[in-house]
Amino acid sequence: MNPMYTITITVLGTDAETSLREDVQSTMDVLRDGLDQWVEPGRKVRWEIRCPSGRVTAGQITVYDPGNTVRDVHRHLQTVRQVLTEEATDAART
């Protein structure tokens, strides 16, 4: 069995959604889809990603200005991708 990324997306008042993915790109796709589904002005969306190395990265996003939702989510996803890519690179060295 290949090591997997475990991603959990949580929104207050809903059941947490958990997915398993094999690589950074598919993990980012799941996060993007979850944020597209759940982000709306004033709502906090929390996520946690357990990496194959055992490391955990977590964050949250709340968008307050409806006019900035797409831009803010895109910027947030860029940061998450950078963190996951650096983590994968570090894990490959060890």
Side-chain angles (χ1 to χ4, degrees):
M1 178 180 211
N2 289 338
M4 303 288 275
Y5 289 86
T6 304
I7 180 169
T8 303
I9 299 173
T10 308
V11 177
L12 185 64
T14 68
D15 293 332
E17 298 177 2
T18 301
S19 300
L20 297 175
R21 293 295 180 259
E22 293 184 3
D23 57 29
V24 170
Q25 181 57 51
S26 60
T27 300
M28 291 303 303
D29 292 344
V30 168
L31 182 58
R32 180 182 306 106
D33 291 347
L35 295 182
D36 285 347
Q37 176 182 353
W38 291 109
V39 167
E40 64 180 50
R43 177 186 281 167
K44 183 188 316 181
V45 179
R46 186 179 189 295
W47 54 266
E48 179 180 284
I49 299 171
R50 295 186 177 278
C51 301
S53 66
R55 296 178 188 160
V56 176
T57 185
Q60 64 187 28
I61 183 171
T62 306
V63 176
Y64 293 101
D65 182 350
N68 292 334
T69 300
V70 172
R71 186 188 74 208
D72 289 348
V73 168
H74 178 73
R75 186 178 316 134
H76 190 78
L77 288 168
Q78 284 180 315
T79 302
V80 176
R81 178 183 299 280
Q82 181 179 358
V83 168
L84 290 180
T85 300
E86 288 174 5
E87 187 282 330
T89 301
D90 289 348
R93 287 187 205 145
T94 59

